[in-house]
Amino acid sequence: MRFPSREDRMFFYMLLPFAGVVFIVFVLLFEVLIQNSVPVLLREGLKFLTSSAWRPSEVSPDQEFYGILSPLVGTLYSSLIALILALPTSIALAIFINDYTPPQLRDHVTGLVDLMAGLPTVLYGLWGAFVLAPILKTYIMTPLSLYLGFVPVFGCRPITGFTVFTAGTVLSVMILPFMTSMIRESLASIPRTYREAVYSLGATRYEASRMLVSMTKPAVMAATLLGFGRAAGETIAVSMTIGNSFGLPLCMFEPSYTISSLIANQFANAGFYHYMTSALYAAGLFLLATGLLLNSAGVYMLVKWRRTYRR
Amino acid sequence: MSYAVEVENLRVRIGGFEVLRDLTFKVPENTIFTVMGPSGSGKSTLLRVINRLIDLIPEAEVSGRVVVLGRDVFKADPYRLRTRIGMVFQTPNPFPHLSIYENVALGPKLNGLVKSKKELDNLVRWALEKAMLWEEVKDKLDVPPLGLSGGQQQRLCIARALAMRPELLLLDEPTANVDPINARKIEDVLISFRREGGVTIMMVTHSPPQASRVSDYIAFIYMGQLVEVGPADQVFVNPRNKLTERFLRGEVS
Amino acid sequence: MRDVSSRREAERLSLVRRIKDKLFLVILVVLSMAAFLPLFHIVASILYYGGWTLLRGGLSFLVDTPPSPLSSNLGGIGPALVGSAVLVFLTVILGLPLSFMAAVFTVEYPNTLVARVTKLVCRSFTEIPTVLIGVLSYTLVVIPMGRFSALAGAVALAIVMVPYSYTYMEESLASIPRTYREAAYSLGLTRPRAVFSVFTRIARRGILTGVLIGLAKAAGETAPLLFTIGGLRHAYFNGPDHPVGAIPLLIYEFALTPYRVYREVAWGAALVLIAIYLVIFVVLRRTVREVRM
């Protein structure tokens, strides 16, 4: 690289380490996770992902076996519930803020959304565990299991309030503001002339809103992917509400584990066993890889979408 | 003579700024009525009052009386009103996520104008033919309009408006973002469409030559005020106002 | 004429469409209210339960050490409060120069590989589960040091914070109009002088926002602290290389215990935490219209 002056060169080399550190930390994260996952992955291979057995053993390392299928399913299950609840709500809220809120109020409402997005997660967890869980158990989960119990996903009575469903509901509350902001921004970025065109064709507000949302479909899908990624990666609030127990629940009123809540709960005492620490690093690696994949897919869609309208 | 649009003492303020000041004029049925004036003179706002798209600008304050197709627009249901009025915009804005066919079919579908797929096909073809676009797109009706040139996109937007079988067609500088050849094509579309009757066309432009080529009547607006209105020949040949004369000579912009 | 046109209108805007339109509005309002309901419920719950705790504990709740599990004495969250303050301080010291300098680098030398990678990494880092960052700091700081420490927690929090503050700083530095840049250089300023004495001042709002986001993250995050700070409960602070407590971690740990008095303390701590968060948030909203966290 050529620099116009000596100061410029010095400035460059002075700043370089700071930017470099960011990159190095990123590489280190992968390095640490990969290096420490090797033992368990070499020993178990693909079974690590496909087995639901989680068998620590004090007797001998040979008897230990760790498979993350069950927390994997728990992660997917709770995140899916979160998405099903959050997606329609965030679309509705985005339309409401954009098209139905008076301009003077709009700033305050988006302020509330941002406030929700940044609220410390442990507060969501605390509320979910002690306030929401009992309410859901009495008024939603128990009645659903009584009256719609023939549907497999509702097919069990909740024993405590700490279930996949509760965790999914708390997660939906947490990803909602994030998804709302993304969808609202993309709705607002549609040039006004398209809005005018729909209305000039005699569309009602409902028809116009439907049209505009379908124009932002790639952005909505990006919000869905990124929301899913956030839900899958959330640790604290899930760990406080999902019940933290192994199993492959079909019914959403059973407790379960997610990968991140598994790490949160087991990492501290994993050192007592020979392979468990490695298994948790590997679980983390898997979480990181899928998370980044989802994230880049989402970002890619968003970028592609923006190109359609920025002509 | 009956009138498609009657405007009386229309005033529009947007955010404290007077966009239109005390406009009064009438648009005879089945004619091409052109509103002419330099950019920023409030012409586009005027069109948006007629089909109540002005509602989308919440800070706009409107007063006066506007009767469109026999209805007082401020008392009428805007959604019903718009089903009888087509509009074409300054920038070509076909919906990029719909196919060419779906773009034209959108209005008829929303408003239940057709009973069968066959009828819809015919209507779409009719509208595209009227817009002189059919030959160019008949083999790619199912692809999105992004591959079309700007001029083709604008004619697609005209077809989209025509497919609603409007009684009144509003055009907001339809050729401003279009190459000269396509601009002439669009003018031809308007003239041929008017000849068939049954529709009143109200166009906004800042170009006197274009106004002279297509119009039956001309209104000249300057800084939100109506300077002159009358039959096209009279306004062009014998303008009553000095300002109009200067604008026609290209001295005001 | 009027007869014909009114029939056409009726045809075009049928009753079904009008009902759908009204129904849509109803659904929109209901869902939008449902979206905000949890926020108000959370705030109300924390005010209610936490309010009782604070009333019972009084001001000494903020300074005392936590109770023993079965005591009837409420105790307080003093050590955690001190720990959180220490963590915020250390995190900002570690994270701020890093994000600011990295932001300056990407804006001043945007076409270098390092700049592009930094930008990309920071964008994806905001989506990385924070518990993994705790694991990273555990592996790189706690294990070599041989014990949990405030420093390990601050390292983890700084890694969480940097991408957020970096993004705000980078955006505000990059959005400085070119004329200001030209003006600065035309005065004969060298690049470092131009950056530190001109551009930084123009972009101060964005930089301040970056600082505040960092504060909010450092004060509110829990997961990065799980395996790093050791959750010291009964002593206040023994130095950055020793374990500390933190309010979010205390809430998490106490909420998971079966003891009544611990849960009371957790609610009280939640009230303190939300108060801290709200103060930071209100200041944030004054500096920037849209807050992304």
Side-chain angles (χ1 to χ4, degrees):
Chain A
M1 193 164 165
R2 293 187 54 191
F3 296 98
S5 78
R6 205 166 53 87
E7 281 96 345
D8 227 39
R9 181 195 306 275
M10 278 169 56
F11 194 45
F12 179 85
Y13 287 112
M14 187 196 104
L15 291 174
L16 187 63
F18 290 98
V21 164
V22 174
F23 178 64
I24 291 169
V25 168
F26 188 72
V27 173
L28 275 177
L29 179 61
F30 271 95
E31 218 271 327
V32 161
L33 290 178
I34 291 173
Q35 199 183 25
N36 289 293
S37 336
V38 168
V40 79
L41 291 181
L42 277 183
R43 182 161 173 259
E44 297 179 7
L46 256 188
K47 280 219 175 84
F48 177 69
L49 290 179
T50 56
S51 163
S52 61
W54 186 268
R55 250 194 344 258
S57 165
E58 280 89 0
V59 187
S60 126
D62 296 337
Q63 289 176 17
E64 286 182 44
F65 188 87
Y66 303 100
I68 57 164
L69 184 65
S70 142
L72 206 59
V73 170
T75 306
L76 290 178
Y77 206 167
S78 54
S79 307
L80 204 66
I81 293 172
L83 270 188
I84 290 172
L85 293 173
L87 186 60
T89 318
S90 53
I91 293 176
L93 183 57
I95 296 174
F96 189 77
I97 295 174
N98 227 31
D99 293 349
Y100 289 83
T101 311
Q104 313 89 281
L105 275 178
R106 204 171 291 157
D107 247 23
H108 298 281
V109 182
T110 52
L112 277 185
V113 175
D114 291 343
L115 181 82
M116 268 177 97
L119 204 66
T121 55
V122 70
L123 298 181
Y124 282 106
L126 188 68
W127 172 77
F130 295 120
V131 183
L132 184 67
I135 296 176
L136 288 181
K137 179 172 183 254
T138 318
Y139 298 104
I140 310 259
M141 298 196 275
T142 308
L144 274 179
S145 69
L146 281 178
Y147 299 112
L148 289 174
F150 54 89
V151 185
V153 292
F154 301 140
C156 61
R157 287 284 294 275
I159 295 160
T160 67
F162 303 125
T163 66
V164 181
F165 180 73
T166 309
T169 311
V170 174
L171 281 175
S172 77
V173 175
M174 296 172 72
I175 61 175
L176 177 103
F178 170 70
M179 290 172 69
T180 305
S181 306
M182 273 185 78
I183 297 171
R184 191 191 63 77
E185 272 166 32
S186 57
L187 274 178
S189 72
I190 295 179
R192 202 181 71 190
T193 175
Y194 290 103
R195 200 173 288 265
E196 291 188 326
V198 197
Y199 280 113
S200 82
L201 291 173
T204 60
R205 295 186 90 160
Y206 160 64
E207 288 156 352
S209 298
R210 221 178 58 175
M211 192 72 182
L212 294 174
V213 169
S214 79
M215 280 177 91
T216 58
K217 207 188 239 164
V220 174
M221 278 166 67
T224 310
L225 284 176
L226 295 179
F228 191 87
R230 286 221 164 176
E234 170 52 36
T235 311
I236 296 299
V238 174
S239 159
M240 293 170 87
T241 50
I242 202 167
N244 299 326
S245 92
F246 286 98
L248 280 174
L250 176 64
C251 168
M252 59 170 79
F253 305 144
E254 278 176 37
S256 182
Y257 246 134
T258 65
I259 293 185
S260 41
S261 68
L262 176 77
I263 298 174
N265 283 285
Q266 304 278 342
F267 195 76
N269 42 26
F272 296 122
Y273 308 97
H274 197 265
Y275 286 105
M276 197 198 275
T277 312
S278 173
L280 292 172
Y281 277 106
L285 180 66
F286 188 72
L287 186 66
L288 178 66
T290 42
L292 284 181
L293 220 63
L294 278 177
N295 183 41
S296 11
V299 170
Y300 172 75
M301 293 182 97
L302 212 59
V303 169
K304 217 176 94 186
W305 183 78
R306 283 194 188 127
R307 240 176 248 149
T308 325
Y309 292 93
R310 204 165 287 163
R311 274 183 296 152
Chain B
M1 199 188 278
S2 51
Y3 298 96
V5 179
E6 295 163 64
V7 176
E8 259 174 62
N9 305 106
L10 174 66
R11 287 170 185 278
V12 178
R13 296 172 68 90
I14 297 178
F17 180 74
E18 279 220 284
V19 184
L20 293 175
R21 310 172 188 194
D22 203 14
L23 256 51
T24 302
F25 63 89
K26 288 178 178 177
V27 178
E29 266 187 357
N30 302 327
T31 60
I32 298 186
F33 185 101
T34 301
V35 181
M36 191 174 71
S39 32
S41 56
K43 305 174 306 252
S44 301
T45 311
L46 174 62
L47 287 191
R48 280 165 177 73
V49 171
I50 289 169
N51 67 356
R52 287 267 308 260
L53 278 185
I54 192 93
D55 291 9
L56 297 186
I57 307 168
E59 60 271 25
E61 303 160 50
V62 187
S63 71
R65 207 171 100 91
V66 178
V67 178
V68 175
L69 302 170
R71 309 212 161 231
D72 186 329
V73 292
F74 302 121
K75 290 184 188 140
D77 177 330
Y79 302 100
R80 290 191 178 200
L81 187 72
R82 291 181 197 131
T83 62
R84 300 167 63 193
I85 306 174
M87 184 156 179
V88 177
F89 299 83
Q90 189 166 1
T91 37
N93 58 0
F95 294 108
H97 68 305
L98 301 181
S99 71
I100 292 175
Y101 180 94
E102 287 166 331
N103 261 288
V104 183
L106 186 61
K109 263 197 202 154
L110 282 176
N111 299 307
L113 297 189
V114 286
K115 309 245 160 8
S116 66
K117 173 86 173 84
K118 184 105 181 70
E119 231 180 301
L120 186 61
D121 286 349
N122 288 337
L123 184 55
V124 169
R125 178 170 181 164
W126 173 84
L128 285 169
E129 278 174 348
K130 282 289 152 219
M132 299 185 187
L133 191 62
W134 174 255
E135 288 302 322
E136 292 157 64
V137 300
K138 64 181 177 193
D139 300 323
K140 43 181 177 180
L141 291 175
D142 294 333
V143 301
L146 291 175
L148 300 180
S149 76
Q152 288 174 320
Q153 290 192 12
Q154 190 63 309
R155 279 181 284 142
L156 179 60
C157 294
I158 295 179
R160 181 176 67 189
L162 294 185
M164 291 223 304
R165 298 289 199 150
E167 293 155 69
L168 174 65
L169 183 62
L170 307 175
L171 299 113
D172 184 5
E173 307 243 17
T175 60
N177 292 298
V178 161
D179 62 275
I181 297 172
N182 266 293
R184 288 307 275 267
K185 265 193 183 160
I186 289 171
E187 290 169 14
D188 291 347
V189 169
L190 299 181
I191 294 166
S192 83
F193 200 62
R194 196 214 23 121
R195 216 172 281 138
E196 285 178 22
V199 65
T200 309
I201 296 174
M202 214 177 146
M203 181 172 76
V204 154
T205 182
H206 64 259
S207 145
Q210 180 170 58
S212 81
R213 282 193 295 267
V214 300
S215 326
D216 300 309
Y217 291 88
I218 303 265
F220 175 52
I221 295 187
Y222 186 74
M223 308 270 284
Q225 267 168 327
L226 185 69
V227 177
E228 182 157 357
V229 61
D233 319 340
Q234 184 214 305
V235 174
F236 274 100
V237 178
N238 209 351
R240 266 177 283 171
N241 193 300
K242 272 263 160 9
L243 203 57
T244 319
E245 215 181 312
R246 287 178 54 205
F247 179 74
L248 293 175
R249 285 209 303 266
E251 290 172 12
V252 183
S253 57
Chain C
M1 160 82 199
R2 188 158 288 196
D3 237 35
V4 177
S5 52
S6 57
R7 209 181 319 130
R8 274 186 81 178
E9 280 183 2
E11 208 172 89
R12 288 180 176 204
L13 202 71
S14 63
L15 191 63
V16 181
R17 286 173 77 192
R18 319 211 117 233
I19 293 174
K20 265 191 193 164
D21 200 40
K22 290 279 172 281
L23 206 65
F24 174 66
L25 182 57
V26 171
I27 293 173
L28 221 54
V29 170
V30 169
L31 283 182
S32 298
M33 275 162 53
F36 285 119
L37 188 67
L39 175 66
F40 293 117
H41 206 246
I42 290 170
V43 173
S45 307
I46 292 176
L47 279 179
Y48 179 76
Y49 294 114
W52 277 116
T53 307
L54 251 74
L55 276 182
R56 188 150 96 86
L59 266 184
S60 63
F61 182 74
L62 297 178
V63 286
D64 282 357
T65 56
S68 55
L70 298 173
S71 82
S72 58
N73 187 356
L74 190 59
I77 55 168
L81 205 54
V82 172
S84 272
V86 169
L87 283 170
V88 168
F89 180 72
L90 288 177
T91 305
V92 169
I93 287 195
L94 284 175
L96 262 196
L98 189 60
S99 29
F100 177 67
M101 296 297 207
V104 170
F105 184 85
T106 31
V107 173
E108 293 300 318
Y109 304 97
N111 296 322
T112 54
L113 181 71
V114 180
R116 287 198 196 130
V117 170
T118 307
K119 221 169 155 176
L120 194 73
V121 164
C122 280
R123 204 178 292 162
S124 40
F125 242 120
T126 56
E127 302 300 326
I128 287 176
T130 48
V131 68
L132 296 183
I133 292 169
V135 168
L136 179 69
S137 174
Y138 173 83
T139 317
L140 294 181
V141 185
V142 175
I143 293 182
M145 276 177 72
R147 64 166 170 251
F148 296 117
S149 65
L151 191 66
V155 166
L157 287 174
I159 298 176
V160 172
M161 156 199 169
V162 164
Y164 290 93
S165 29
Y166 165 87
T167 307
Y168 274 100
M169 293 177 180
E170 195 266 340
E171 274 174 13
S172 67
L173 283 170
S175 67
I176 295 175
R178 205 223 296 258
T179 51
Y180 291 127
R181 297 185 165 272
E182 289 173 347
Y185 287 122
S186 75
L187 293 176
L189 296 184
T190 60
R191 201 188 271 260
R193 289 281 309 275
V195 166
F196 290 125
S197 53
V198 181
F199 303 159
T200 307
R201 289 201 191 152
I202 297 176
R204 59 184 184 278
R205 229 163 223 279
I207 292 165
L208 178 63
T209 311
V211 177
L212 289 166
I213 289 267
L215 290 180
K217 285 283 159 195
E221 283 284 336
T222 316
L225 306 179
L226 280 174
F227 326 118
T228 51
I229 61 169
L232 184 69
R233 284 182 193 170
H234 294 282
Y236 291 87
F237 177 59
N238 303 322
D241 54 340
H242 282 73
V244 287
I247 295 182
L249 191 65
L250 175 129
I251 298 173
Y252 176 70
E253 288 178 346
F254 277 22
L256 291 178
T257 63
Y259 309 115
R260 237 192 101 214
V261 66
Y262 273 14
R263 292 189 181 173
E264 270 182 74
V265 173
W267 279 110
L271 184 58
V272 173
L273 181 59
I274 206 171
I276 295 172
Y277 170 69
L278 281 177
V279 169
I280 299 175
F281 188 84
V282 167
V283 182
L284 254 175
R285 280 282 295 179
R286 282 174 173 239
T287 59
V288 69
R289 254 191 67 232
E290 270 169 41
V291 185
R292 278 161 291 150
M293 286 202 255

